[in-house]
Amino acid sequence: MKSEGHPNYHYIKVVLTDGSEFYTRSTYGEEGSTLNLDIDPKTHPAWTGGSQHLLDRGGRLTRFNSRFGNLGIGAKK
């Protein structure tokens, strides 16, 4: 049986963008390494609710709505 089949889990420090930190087990780096995040749940729009509008790049959304907008999918009956 292989003894090297599992990754080496160890404790690291994770530093969020606001400077807060926590310790977790990870395969990142070595024991005691620090992982500095550029994006985290406190600042990213996907978690904060910002920028939830759809961008119409190249008119694709407009073309889709003109072709299939009359189907009424999701409309209240």
Side-chain angles (χ1 to χ4, degrees), residues 46-57:
W47 289 286
T48 59
S51 300
Q52 292 293 328
H53 61 279
L54 294 173
L55 298 176
D56 189 8
R57 297 181 192 261

Side-chain angles (χ1 to χ4, degrees), residues 8-77:
N8 180 20
Y9 284 101
H10 46 270
Y11 283 95
I12 65 165
K13 179 170 66 171
V14 179
V15 180
L16 302 176
T17 56
D18 66 353
S20 61
E21 56 188 47
F22 64 91
Y23 289 88
T24 188
R25 288 176 41 108
S26 175
T27 58
Y28 173 80
E30 299 174 355
E31 180 79 29
S33 294
T34 300
L35 176 61
N36 294 304
L37 299 180
D38 294 330
I39 299 174
D40 62 37
K42 293 179 182 178
T43 60
H44 195 278
W47 289 286
T48 59
S51 300
Q52 292 293 328
H53 61 279
L54 294 173
L55 298 176
D56 189 8
R57 297 181 192 261
R60 292 181 182 201
L61 186 58
T62 303
R63 282 184 290 174
F64 179 85
N65 285 335
S66 68
R67 290 178 70 190
F68 303 109
N70 61 349
L71 292 178
I73 296 174
K76 294 181 180 180
K77 293 181 179 183

